[in-house]
Amino acid sequence: MASAQHSEHAREPSFYEAHKGWKSWFITLDHKRLGMMYLVGTMIFFLVGGIAALTLRTELLTPEQDLVSATTFNKLFTVHGAVMVFLVIIPSVPGALGNFLLPLMLGAKDVAFPRLNLLSFWIYSLGACFFLYTLFAGGLDTGWTFYTPYSTTTGTAMVSATAGAFILGFSSILTGVNFLVTVHKMRAPGMTWNRLPLFVWAIYSTAVIQILATPVLAITLLLLIVERTLNIGIFDPAMGGDPVLYQHFFWFYSHPAVYIMILPGFGIVSELIAVHSRKHIFGYKAIALSSVAIAIISFLVWGHHMFVSGQSELAGVVFSFLTFAVAVPTAIKVFSWVATLYKGSIAFNAAMIYALAFLFTFTIGGLTGIFLGALSVDVHLHDTYFVVAHFHYVMMGGTIIAFIGGIHHWWGKMTGRMYNEAHARWGALLVFIGFNMTFFNQFIIGQQGMPRRYATYVPQFQQQHVMSTIGAYILGLGLLWTAIYLLRSLKTGAQAPDNPWGGASLEWLTQSPPIEHNFHGQPRADTDPYNFPQIDRSGGMDAH
Ligand code: HEM
Ligand SMILES: [Cu+2]
C-alpha cells in the first residue's frame, strides 16, 4: 500500500519546510523549488501577455482605429507574441512541471546537474529582464518573428529584444541537456525504458529538440544584432544581404520549436487520460516512439512557413509533402488517447475535463495545420486570421489547456492542498467556451480574407471580431477565476493525500508535498506506470 511507506516513518518536513528564508529559494538546488519558481515566473508573464492580448481584442471591437495608435497596436502584438512564445510556452511545461516531476517520476533524488538547473533558471530571469527593458525602452514593432529587412531598420528596441531571446535560448538548451542526462542516468532500479511514464518520454523528446534546434536561433539572432550594430550586410538586401536566408534560419529553429511547445503538452495528456479513466494506456510504445518521430520529422518541414516567400516551387512541393508526414505520428497519439478512453471508467473531474478539452481543441488545431501545409491552400490563407486561429488552437488550446490540466492533476502533490473541485469545473467550462468563441470565429474571417496584424478592417468582419473579443473576455474571466481558487486553496484547501487519484507512477509514492530528497530510501519500479487494474485490486500500490 502507498501509505505503508509512511506508516513506517512519521510525516517529515516537506521541501518547503526544510529550509526557510528568501535565500533558501534564491540559491536552491532543489528541482522542486526551481519548478515552483518557474511556475510563478511563467504565470506572471502569462498575465503580461494576456493583458496585451485583451487590449488588442478590445481595439478590434470596431473596424476603425480608436483605442490605440497603429504603432502601439504593432507593439502590442509583438509583446504579446514574443512574451507568450519565449517567456511562457517554451519554458512553462518543462520548467515548471518538468522540473518538479521528472526526478520524482524517475524515482531520483534530483536532476543530474542541480547547479546547472539553478543556472538555467537565472538565465531565464536575465532574459526576462531584457524583455522588460524592451517594454520600458518603448517596445518593439516587428512581430515576434523579427523578420528582416524591417527588423534591421526599425527604430524600436530591437537589440534588447533579440538579446533577450538569445539569452533565453541558453536557458532552454541547458534545461534540455540536464533532462536528457537525467533520463539516461538517474532512473530508479527496475525503471526500464518501457516503464518510463509517457510524460518523461515527451520531456525527453523535447530535450532533443531544445539541444539541437535552439543554437540555430541563437546564431541567427546574433547575426541580426551584428548586422544592425556593425552595418554588415547579412540579411538586409540594401546592404547586399538575403532576407530569405533569415527566414530559413529562423524557421529551421522555430518549426521544431513548436514541438518544444506541444510535445510536453502531449505528455501531460497521456498521464491525465490514463489515470482518470483508470485504464492501461493504449499503445504505450506507439505514443512514446511517436514523440521521438515527431522530434525527428520536425527538423524537415520548416519551409511550410515560406511557401510564398520566393523559395523554389520544388522546395514548396517537397516541404508540403513532408509536412503531411508529421500528421501520422500525431494521429497515432490522438487515436491511442481515444482508445484509452474507450470503456474506461472516466472520472469527469477538472483535470480530465481539461484533457478532453485538449483532445477537442488540439485536434482542430492539428487538422487546420494540414490545410496550411497544403501548398495551394496556404497561398490563400497565408498571413490571414486563419493562421492566428490555427496556432492558438495548437498553443493555447493544446499546450496551455494541457498545462492547466496538469497543474490541477499535480496541484496536491506540488502544494499539499486540494482545490475546490466544483469551482474548478466551472473554471474549465468558462475557459473552454471562451477559448472556442475567441478563436473559432477567426477561422471564418481568416478564410474570408481578414489579414492578421491589422488594427483596422472592413466592416463586413465586425460581427465575428466582436464575438471573438467577447470570447476573449470570457476566457480571461475563466483564467482569473482559476487563479483565484487555486491560490485560495493554499490557505483554505483540504490537506492533499499522497495519491489523490490512484496514480501508479512513482511521484505518487512520496508524501504531498514531497520531502526534500523526494523519497525515503530508493523506490523501485516493479510494474509499468499504467498498471491500474492491479492497484485497484490490491487496494493500493506497493511502496517497495
Ligand atoms: C489569452 C488568450 C489569447 C488571446 C485573446 C490572444 C489574442 C491574440 C491577438 C489578438 C493576436 C494578434 C493577431 C494579429 O493581429 O495578427 C495574437 C497574436 C499572437 N498570439 Fe495570442 N492570444 C492569446 C493567447 C496566446 C497564447 C497562450 C500564445 C502562445 C503561447 C499566443 C501566441 C501568439 C502569437 C505567437 C501571436 C503572433 C504575434 C505576431 O503576430 O507577431 N497567444 N494573439
Ligand atoms: Cu512550422
Side-chain angles (χ1 to χ4, degrees), residues 176-257:
V177 171
N178 214 338
F179 287 179
L180 199 82
V181 178
T182 305
V183 175
H184 275 273
K185 292 287 178 201
M186 310 281 287
R187 303 196 308 275
M191 175 132 343
T192 57
W193 286 86
N194 282 334
R195 287 186 186 158
L196 286 185
L198 289 164
F199 180 70
V200 175
W201 271 105
I203 290 288
Y204 181 83
S205 316
T206 307
V208 173
I209 312 180
Q210 284 174 304
I211 294 167
L212 294 180
T214 316
V216 179
L217 177 74
I219 295 166
T220 309
L221 295 179
L222 203 60
L223 287 175
L224 202 58
I225 295 175
V226 167
E227 171 165 81
R228 250 186 95 96
T229 49
L230 305 180
N231 283 319
I232 299 173
I234 301 167
F235 302 125
D236 184 357
M239 295 191 280
D242 181 357
V244 177
L245 179 67
Y246 175 83
Q247 294 190 22
H248 275 295
F249 282 177
F250 182 83
W251 288 109
F252 186 83
Y253 163 75
S254 290
H255 186 80

Side-chain angles (χ1 to χ4, degrees), residues 5-24:
Q5 197 189 15
H6 301 300
S7 48
E8 298 160 15
H9 312 266
R11 211 171 173 81
E12 279 187 29
S14 73
F15 73 97
Y16 294 109
E17 297 153 336
H19 303 277
K20 294 275 178 214
W22 61 269
K23 214 174 141 196
S24 72

Side-chain angles (χ1 to χ4, degrees), residues 53 77 80 84 89 143-144 385 391-392 396 452-453 475:
F77 72 64
H80 166 71
M84 287 298 195
I89 207 159
W144 77 279
Y385 259 80
F391 69 66
H392 281 96
M396 171 98 209
R452 69 191 276 200
R453 296 185 171 174
L475 175 57

